[in-house]
Amino acid sequence: MQKETMSLNSKDLIALEDKYGAHNYHPLPVVLAKGEGVYVWDAEGKKYFDFLSAYSAINQGHCHPRIVQTMKDQAETLCLTSRAFYNDKLGVYEQYITEYFGFDKVLPMNSGAEGVETAIKICRKWGYEKKGIPLNEAIIVVCGQNFHGRTVSIISFSSDPDAKGKFGPYTPGFESIPYNDIDSLKAIIDEKADKIAGFMVEPIQGEAGVFVPDSNFIKESAALCNANNILFIADEIQTGIARTGSLLAICGDCTCQGHCEQQESYTRPDILILGKALSGGAYPVSAVLANDAIMEVIQPGQHGSTYGGNPIACAVAITALDVVKDEHLAQNARKLGNQFRAEMQKLVDKFDILNLVRGKGLLNAVVINDSPDSSTAWDICVRLADNGLLAKPTHGNIIRFAPPLVMTEEQLMDCVAIIEKTIAEHISA
Ligand SMILES: *Cc1c(COP(=O)(O)O)cnc(C)c1O
């Protein structure tokens, strides 16, 4: 069976997914078979730069040798105990991650959506037990164009008709304000502060097309929450772990490497949600961090997951976070990000088909000058793949560019050349 699979070409493999898999994704027609650092190879051995990084899960690069070694070692020793018993990795990991990000406690889960669900549950329970909101009346404020995952409760407050349509009835208790609109947040707090338990926000909206809010939006919303006894919840599943040029996007311009020496210089959320790059792409690991006064509302039997906090996840996450620090990935993302946007700005100036470039660190997007319904961004991505660079359109006519953070300056310039060549080809086609 294994031999037979290995002899299948990309066309066969796409046909298999098409026939036997649910059609819940629309991938570019590229079948990947191997990865190393910033590179991936398809089933025919063609090499590509990865400019998506599995939606920022691969910040540390594909198959990072230290992460892979940790995973192998732990897999040979102990994989899963469930939380019916203690295991010898969980406590060590909990101490490590809470010190790394500066919180009292962590609640370990697997997928990002589970992390968000966990934060919602903690926030609601805190609202009833600590804030005194009447039972079942807690409100969590969210932002338009958000992306927090795919569960029924999470899509209940999505503004994307594909994500939400025909999946009702929806979970109540969420109210949406426009992103980056501090006045709307003020207005809803003025009206309903007593019932608002939390405000959940992405410090930069990734899926929506890499929207970077005004520099004071996050700080001011956190301050408003703080003044009104509302939990400020940061979903850093995509933006966190060095992606945007600092350990967390909420760190702003703080350049610390994990052990934040300037805690007061950044907006500390009451609840921080991490996922994706927490394992460097090796394993599904998510985490919800909060201080004792918040986390203590969760007691035995009230939340959990069979795999959450398993020994492989714990060991892998420690190494993945070590790599971020040891290899100075935040600094590299910051430096290369500035360079990348400067290079893309030259292309925006040169080619009418490119409207603008925006982003922070190595989470960037180029907006295509065409209707959101046109296939221009898709066509360019197909052509980029032909030229050896993998990127994916996101909402409308936007191409997200988010390579692994282990990229070198020289590799980045090679990628810029591929992008320039591709745009020129697209225009003359
Ligand atoms: C990817 C993502 C999620 C969901 O994570 P999954 O692991 O896909 O469930 C939630 N929030 C943000 C901001 C994300 O980017």
Side-chain angles (χ1 to χ4, degrees):
M1 189 64 207
Q2 185 70 10
K3 262 214 169 82
E4 202 180 301
T5 309
M6 283 168 69
S7 70
L8 296 176
N9 66 23
S10 289
K11 200 164 149 270
D12 302 329
L13 292 161
I14 289 172
L16 283 180
E17 286 199 26
D18 195 47
K19 182 158 171 12
Y20 296 107
H23 291 184
N24 57 329
Y25 279 90
H26 179 39
L28 277 183
V30 174
V31 181
L32 300 177
K34 188 181 135 170
E36 187 185 318
V38 299
Y39 299 112
V40 284
W41 287 260
D42 70 15
E44 281 71 39
K46 181 176 159 74
K47 187 180 182 183
Y48 305 85
F49 284 106
D50 179 358
F51 251 67
L52 182 63
S53 305
Y55 302 98
S56 298
I58 315 277
N59 288 359
Q60 298 86 337
H62 287 272
C63 298
H64 192 290
R66 284 178 61 191
I67 298 173
V68 169
Q69 191 58 51
T70 296
M71 189 151 95
K72 279 184 181 164
D73 291 345
Q74 189 58 45
E76 284 175 351
T77 311
L78 182 67
C79 297
L80 182 63
T81 58
S82 85
R83 299 287 303 277
F85 312 104
Y86 291 86
N87 75 61
D88 70 347
K89 289 290 168 297
L90 180 56
V92 176
Y93 164 62
E94 288 172 334
Q95 180 179 26
Y96 182 92
I97 189 174
T98 51
E99 286 178 3
Y100 196 102
F101 291 102
F103 287 85
D104 292 341
K105 282 194 169 50
V106 62
L107 199 159
M109 296 294 280
N110 312 284
S111 70
E114 283 178 321
V116 173
E117 288 278 347
T118 301
I120 291 168
K121 286 175 71 177
I122 294 170
C123 179
R124 284 178 165 185
K125 201 149 186 289
W126 175 90
Y128 303 128
E129 293 184 354
K130 302 274 180 148
K131 180 160 172 168
I133 297 172
L135 197 58
N136 295 327
E137 291 182 26
I139 296 167
I140 295 178
V141 177
V142 297
C143 293
Q145 314 305 317
N146 67 69
F147 183 83
H148 296 287
R150 298 294 199 170
T151 65
V152 166
S153 289
I154 294 170
I155 59 103
S156 294
F157 52 85
S158 171
S159 47
D160 174 357
D162 280 336
K164 181 167 181 174
K166 296 191 186 168
F167 294 117
Y170 302 113
T171 306
F174 301 96
E175 296 205 21
S176 189
I177 58 156
Y179 190 61
N180 194 24
D181 185 344
I182 198 73
D183 291 335
S184 291
L185 183 60
K186 267 186 203 135
I188 195 166
I189 289 175
D190 280 347
E191 196 189 337
K192 303 177 177 176
D194 291 349
K195 291 200 172 164
I196 300 176
F199 172 55
M200 181 162 67
V201 65
E202 301 157 83
I204 293 172
Q205 286 191 325
E207 291 310 299
V210 189
F211 282 108
V212 184
D214 297 338
S215 58
N216 54 0
F217 173 65
I218 292 299
K219 248 195 164 51
E220 285 183 16
S221 11
L224 268 179
C225 289
N226 195 27
N228 289 279
N229 201 21
I230 291 166
L231 299 185
F232 180 75
I233 306 170
D235 179 348
E236 291 245 23
I237 291 170
Q238 185 162 159
T239 51
I241 316 189
R243 171 53 57 186
T244 65
S246 44
L247 180 64
L248 299 170
I250 44 161
C251 294
D253 291 325
C254 172
T255 52
C256 82
Q257 287 294 309
H259 293 276
C260 193
E261 286 131 27
Q262 309 174 43
Q263 292 280 357
E264 67 289 346
S265 84
Y266 87 98
T267 313
R268 207 163 174 298
D270 297 302
I271 300 180
L272 172 67
I273 314 166
L274 298 172
K276 295 199 167 110
L278 188 48
S279 72
Y283 204 79
V285 185
S286 64
V288 179
L289 292 136
N291 280 349
D292 285 329
I294 295 166
M295 201 64 100
E296 72 191 12
V297 301
I298 299 292
Q299 291 299 314
Q302 297 171 353
H303 193 56
S305 161
T306 303
Y307 278 82
N310 73 76
I312 296 181
C314 294
V316 162
I318 290 175
T319 302
L321 289 174
D322 263 344
V323 166
V324 169
K325 219 180 325 145
D326 295 347
E327 301 189 13
H328 308 289
L329 296 188
Q331 278 134 342
N332 198 47
R334 176 181 299 240
K335 188 185 81 180
L336 292 195
N338 288 334
Q339 207 169 337
F340 182 74
R341 281 185 300 282
E343 292 296 330
M344 287 303 107
Q345 188 57 48
K346 290 183 201 164
L347 301 189
V348 168
D349 295 340
K350 182 169 165 186
F351 297 117
D352 287 342
I353 193 160
L354 305 181
N355 257 346
L356 61 93
V357 57
R358 63 176 173 232
K360 195 146 190 253
L362 281 175
L363 183 61
N364 295 293
V366 167
V367 180
I368 305 293
N369 182 14
D370 203 343
S371 130
D373 302 324
S374 80
S375 65
T376 307
W378 177 269
D379 297 341
I380 291 172
C381 286
V382 170
R383 211 178 272 280
L384 280 169
D386 288 341
N387 289 330
L389 188 147
L390 296 180
K392 186 100 201 291
T394 183
H395 283 97
N397 244 324
I398 300 169
I399 303 176
R400 173 171 29 197
F401 288 116
L405 311 183
V406 293
M407 184 162 268
T408 65
E409 206 172 316
E410 197 189 349
Q411 289 166 336
L412 185 80
M413 292 313 289
D414 288 347
C415 294
V416 168
I418 293 175
I419 295 167
E420 176 162 18
K421 175 183 151 191
T422 304
I423 300 293
E425 279 175 13
H426 176 85
I427 289 166
S428 62

